[in-house]
Amino acid sequence: MRKILAVARYEFIGAITRLGYLLTLIGMPLFVGCLIAVTSLATVRSATESLAKKRSIGIVDESGLFASAPDSIETELMPDLGRIRSADIALRVRRTELRRFGSLKEAHLALQRGEVASIIRIPTDYLTSGKLQEYVGPKREFELASGQISAGSLLRPWLVRGLLKGRVDAETGDRAAEPAKIERLVIDPTGAVAPADLIREVRPLIVPIGFAMLLLLSVFTSASYLATALAEEKQNRALELLLTSLTADQLFWGKLLGLWAAALLQFVFYLGLVAVPAAFAFAALGLNIAQAMVGICYFVLGFFFFGAVLLTVGAIGNTQKYTQQLSAVCTLTGVLPMMVLTPLLSQPRGALARTLTYIPFTAPITGLLRFGADALPWWEFVISVLVLTISSGLVIRFCGRIFRVALLATGTTPKLGQLWQWLRTG
Amino acid sequence: MKPALTPEPSARAPLLELRRVSKRFGSLVAVEELSLALQPGEIFGLLGPNGAGKTTLLRMSVDLLRPDSGEVLLLGGAPCGEALERIGYLPEERGLPTRARVLNLLTYLGELKGMTREDSRQQARSLLRRMELDVRERSRVGELSKGNQQKVQLASALMGNPQVLLIDEPFNGLDPVNRSLAIELLKERVAAGKAVLISTHQLQHVEQLCHRLLLLNRGRVLLEGEVDAVRRSHADGSILVSGTGDFGSLPGVERWTAAAQGNGQAPIRLFLRSGVTPDAILQQVVERRLSLRSFAPHVPTLEEIFVRAVERARA
């Protein structure tokens, strides 16, 4: 045990002082935070700028149908955001002026002078053809193609109101312009009805997804690193020196524990950095002990499983390149549930979700996601944990055998037949 | 100069003993029916061409490989557990983790040898000081020169003050100064009653350092015994003479190498007719009043013996 702990401590210190580990540990939250902030800001800014550019739109109404239509449009911007920040009216509503021109030539001059962002020409046959023309200045084609708010879409309610004005009452005109504001209601199992709340729906998934991301991050960084480091040690025969002082089993367990400790530190760091402050700031997140326990259970078992598999990959590989390729295949199987996240969450009790719950490679992430979606019955959780525990035990046992023999095998990369032989003789 | 045997090897039980061990890899015979006993206080030379089975023998000695038959005894027992902690091993194709810091790595290896962390760190520092590497103790292994990495390798084998040192080509990559330092360190271990098994191709080191040797070829023993005895036993009766005069024309001399006319510079090697003794030749030198600076039986170098023995075995 003393030697196992010595190896574990050495591997732990080696792992956590690695630049890649430190960059991942500290850089990842910064990167993710910055990414979320930048993309959110960019989205809001893009929409705001797009509207700002259209503060004034030229109208050439050749049809005469809209002579008495209003001279401005009010657009609600990002209603969800507006709800959260209801006080910030400036963000919520944008007013666009509609400037009328008697001729297209006159409007073109205004566009060239930058007095209007674009021109909408309503031809004489609009009522029968339904066609409008939007004129924009040069270098604006991409903006239109990229799907930013176009003058045409901004004008749609205005056109409807204009067409119906005088023919129907104002209220009917409003409904025709904006036919529905659907309010989603949710009936819970007790029969209580409450407005649908996106945040409340996502909330139970936050902790499981957090655990899943942590597991993947640890497997991708620490375990993959250990596999390639082991391949390097094997390649330069440093392992031969170590194996005269301790057994392959001691080395295997020491490395696995050291690796696990490094992953645990990563986990605790993120928990302290993100989850705890978040729990205080958003008490509504509803973190509960059950979620944390299930998360920790899957995290520990999943990490031991992937750790053992990747250690064996490191022992088998004779070059770092080969080891990296093989590690990538193994870790990708772990990511599979994230790749099929949409069908998994839309049908968390479906055949796909159930199957992935019982496969050791995909069980940790699938189990976590299904638990978050409240679609993991206790008996499925027990089976899944049992499968993972037994397969982790078997993997550790069989990988330990291969590990023992493979560590000293150099030269060509072993084939399946040779692996089978090692498994039997190791 | 060869270190004195301390104590008399035969007086104590062998520290490492291989009894008729054999190892095959498929159809390849790596080692066959090999026996060897490494005594306390001796340096043992393991020789052989590439592929002779030296590495396999070393690996079997430290339990990295199990023999197909025969027995390996380390400190009187099976090579496992605590017995292995008392072995210092330096494999030939060696490398250390390049990212590791020198002191931390040696401390770690000492811990694996059963030392406490504090003792291990202390010994690592002491060894590094001895090897003039103390200023580089915080350096990463990969930052060191090849020679310094080799010294760290040797230090790693010496961690834990092992009873038996099994070292493969220990002087590779060392300059003459550091080679002397390494030899000194090995001699100190032997003086303290430890045993050293050196596998090397550098035969001059075997002549200088080793008490006994074993020459392997294709897994079989070609030669073994005390170094001086092996050399003497391979002497062909020729004489090395230096001086002035016509040594080649002496009766009883069959042929000679180099110039027959001694010019007082390089020695001449005289091959004698059957039945002629060196004493008879010396008698004639005196009678003819040839100027003689040196006169000694020719003892072949280990390199000559090695090449001859291997070629004979291959033939």
Side-chain angles (χ1 to χ4, degrees):
Chain A
M1 193 61 195
R2 192 168 42 86
K3 288 187 181 180
I4 292 177
L5 290 178
V7 176
R9 185 175 53 205
Y10 182 79
E11 293 295 340
F12 172 71
I13 292 170
I16 63 167
T17 53
R18 196 168 44 90
L19 186 64
Y21 181 89
L22 293 171
L23 281 178
T24 310
L25 189 73
I26 298 160
M28 190 59 80
L30 283 176
F31 176 73
V32 172
C34 288
L35 197 69
I36 292 170
V38 167
T39 48
S40 305
L41 276 174
T43 308
V44 173
R45 198 178 169 84
S46 169
T48 314
E49 278 179 356
S50 182
L51 280 172
K53 281 177 190 168
K54 293 176 179 59
R55 281 229 143 134
S56 186
I57 295 174
I59 300 286
V60 181
D61 181 13
E62 293 170 359
S63 68
L65 289 166
F66 301 94
S68 56
D71 290 337
S72 67
I73 320 164
E74 284 193 344
T75 311
E76 198 174 354
L77 173 69
M78 298 185 73
D80 285 337
L81 188 66
R83 192 161 57 218
I84 293 167
R85 303 180 59 183
S86 54
D88 193 354
I89 301 300
L91 258 182
R92 202 175 157 212
V93 176
R94 284 279 169 180
R95 188 184 174 87
T96 304
E97 300 296 334
L98 301 177
R99 190 172 156 194
R100 293 170 186 276
F101 293 94
S103 71
L104 196 58
K105 192 177 175 184
E106 200 183 326
H108 279 182
L109 286 171
L111 181 70
Q112 282 166 0
R113 285 195 296 266
E115 292 168 10
V116 291
S118 61
I119 303 162
I120 297 291
R121 176 175 169 249
I122 307 169
T124 49
D125 63 345
Y126 171 69
L127 205 55
T128 52
S129 70
K131 286 182 180 174
L132 293 177
Q133 286 170 328
E134 182 177 5
Y135 294 83
V136 294
K139 298 179 183 173
R140 293 276 311 280
E141 294 89 342
F142 178 74
E143 192 181 313
L144 285 177
S146 68
Q148 291 198 33
I149 302 166
S150 72
S153 62
L154 270 177
L155 280 176
R156 194 161 290 124
W158 180 83
L159 290 167
V160 173
R161 284 196 183 93
L163 283 173
L164 296 179
K165 193 165 186 181
R167 300 183 187 187
V168 295
D169 58 81
E171 207 172 54
T172 309
D174 282 345
R175 281 297 61 74
E178 289 173 37
K181 289 177 180 173
I182 298 171
E183 185 186 10
R184 288 179 67 209
L185 297 165
V186 177
I187 307 170
D188 71 13
T190 64
V193 178
D197 184 348
L198 184 65
I199 293 175
R200 194 180 60 189
E201 283 177 28
V202 170
R203 195 167 51 205
L205 286 171
I206 292 175
V207 172
I209 287 181
F211 271 97
M213 294 304 291
L214 272 175
L215 176 61
L216 291 176
L217 201 65
S218 304
V219 169
F220 269 122
T221 54
S222 305
S224 296
Y225 158 73
L226 189 71
T228 47
L230 187 65
E232 186 196 353
E233 283 177 6
K234 185 183 166 187
Q235 212 173 350
N236 68 19
R237 305 296 180 102
L239 279 179
E240 211 168 308
L241 189 65
L242 297 179
L243 288 173
T244 56
S245 305
L246 74 175
T247 64
D249 285 345
Q250 287 172 323
L251 186 66
F252 182 82
W253 276 104
K255 281 183 178 281
L256 197 58
L257 283 177
L259 176 66
W260 190 81
L264 194 68
L265 178 71
Q266 205 172 26
F267 174 75
V268 169
F269 181 80
Y270 288 143
L271 202 69
L273 194 74
V274 182
V276 173
F280 280 112
F282 303 102
L285 274 176
L287 294 172
N288 62 57
I289 296 293
Q291 278 190 333
M293 293 306 286
V294 168
I296 289 170
C297 181
Y298 275 124
F299 181 84
V300 170
L301 286 173
F303 196 81
F304 266 111
F305 178 80
F306 279 106
V309 169
L310 288 172
L311 264 176
T312 311
V313 165
I316 293 170
N318 279 327
T319 62
Q320 287 189 53
K321 192 180 168 189
Y322 176 79
T323 305
Q324 277 167 350
Q325 287 169 347
L326 212 56
S327 309
V329 173
C330 292
T331 43
L332 274 178
T333 56
V335 187
L336 188 67
M338 299 301 269
M339 291 174 175
V340 292
L341 193 63
T342 310
L344 205 66
L345 289 180
S346 61
Q347 286 191 307
R349 291 173 196 268
L352 175 71
R354 287 190 167 176
T355 308
L356 293 182
T357 309
Y358 304 135
I359 298 172
F361 279 97
T362 50
I365 308 288
T366 313
L368 281 166
L369 293 173
R370 287 187 64 199
F371 188 81
D374 200 18
L376 185 69
W378 68 267
W379 57 270
E380 280 198 66
F381 168 69
V382 170
I383 294 176
S384 147
V385 164
L386 273 177
V387 165
L388 205 54
T389 309
I390 292 168
S391 51
S392 293
L394 289 174
V395 162
I396 287 170
R397 187 175 167 193
F398 292 133
C399 288
R401 285 186 177 190
I402 293 179
F403 188 82
R404 269 194 292 276
V405 188
L407 282 182
L408 293 174
T410 52
T412 54
T413 303
K415 295 193 168 55
L416 275 178
Q418 195 166 10
L419 287 179
W420 175 244
Q421 196 188 347
W422 288 351
L423 200 59
R424 290 170 57 205
T425 58
Chain B
M1 189 179 168
K2 204 173 293 189
L5 286 170
T6 50
E8 188 64 31
S10 55
R12 285 166 63 173
L15 295 177
L16 171 69
E17 194 173 4
L18 282 79
R19 292 180 181 167
R20 303 185 67 183
V21 292
S22 297
K23 182 73 186 174
R24 283 172 172 270
F25 297 105
S27 59
L28 179 78
V29 179
V31 172
E32 191 173 19
E33 294 278 317
L34 187 142
S35 295
L36 177 154
L38 188 62
Q39 306 290 349
E42 79 165 333
I43 303 183
F44 195 102
L46 185 62
L47 312 177
N50 296 328
K54 303 188 295 293
T55 302
T56 304
L57 188 148
L58 290 179
R59 284 180 168 186
M60 284 193 292
S61 303
V62 290
D63 201 37
L64 287 175
L65 287 174
R66 298 267 163 85
D68 297 332
S69 63
E71 191 180 14
V72 176
L73 293 173
L74 184 62
L75 306 175
C80 59
E82 284 187 15
L84 282 175
E85 288 179 0
R86 299 171 74 186
I87 285 247
Y89 178 59
L90 187 64
E92 184 192 4
E93 290 175 51
R94 47 189 167 257
L96 292 170
T98 48
R99 284 193 63 254
R101 297 195 188 277
V102 174
L103 180 65
N104 292 346
L105 179 69
L106 291 180
T107 306
Y108 169 55
L109 294 173
E111 281 183 278
L112 297 184
K113 292 281 179 201
M115 300 175 79
T116 64
R117 191 165 173 73
E118 291 69 33
D119 289 349
S120 182
R121 187 163 284 258
Q122 204 173 343
Q123 190 182 40
R125 282 218 163 96
S126 159
L127 273 170
L128 289 173
R129 205 164 31 247
R130 187 71 202 281
M131 293 182 157
E132 295 164 1
L133 278 176
D134 45 339
V135 289
R136 306 301 303 270
E137 67 172 40
R138 298 285 305 152
S139 302
R140 293 188 192 278
V141 172
E143 294 165 358
L144 301 179
S145 67
K146 195 183 167 191
N148 280 341
Q149 285 189 29
Q150 176 70 358
K151 282 159 75 177
V152 175
Q153 289 274 4
L154 187 60
S156 70
L158 296 173
M159 283 303 297
N161 204 16
Q163 285 287 99
V164 182
L165 268 170
L166 304 177
I167 46 183
D168 209 339
E169 297 292 358
F171 310 115
N172 272 0
L174 293 181
D175 61 47
V177 175
N178 284 311
R179 201 181 306 138
S180 299
L181 178 65
I183 289 172
E184 199 180 314
L185 282 166
L186 294 182
K187 284 181 176 174
E188 283 172 11
R189 263 63 190 172
V190 173
K194 323 284 186 202
V196 180
L197 179 70
I198 299 180
S199 168
T200 182
H201 288 116
Q202 293 175 302
L203 300 175
Q204 73 275 20
H205 292 135
V206 177
E207 282 179 21
Q208 281 172 17
L209 279 172
C210 296
H211 302 105
R212 290 192 299 146
L213 66 82
L214 186 143
L215 175 59
L216 271 179
N217 186 48
R218 291 177 185 167
R220 294 186 180 87
V221 178
L222 290 186
L223 276 174
E224 65 177 312
E226 286 185 20
V227 174
D228 295 339
V230 167
R231 286 185 66 194
R232 278 197 305 273
S233 70
H234 282 75
D236 56 4
S238 60
I239 302 163
L240 284 180
V241 176
S242 66
T244 314
D246 188 5
F247 294 105
S249 64
L250 291 172
V253 173
E254 187 178 70
R255 59 190 172 91
W256 58 88
T257 58
Q261 191 73 35
N263 57 8
Q265 298 297 315
I268 303 163
R269 188 170 167 193
L270 305 176
F271 294 88
L272 311 186
R273 292 181 200 285
S274 176
V276 178
T277 63
D279 286 350
I281 299 295
L282 185 59
Q283 181 73 30
Q284 289 180 44
V285 168
V286 173
E287 283 171 6
R288 293 192 181 196
R289 295 189 177 183
L290 298 177
S291 165
L292 188 66
R293 203 183 329 273
S294 68
F295 184 96
H298 170 252
V299 180
T301 61
L302 278 182
E303 189 162 338
E304 287 172 295
I305 298 170
F306 180 98
V307 171
R308 213 182 302 156
V310 172
E311 280 177 354
R312 199 183 308 133
R314 282 177 181 168

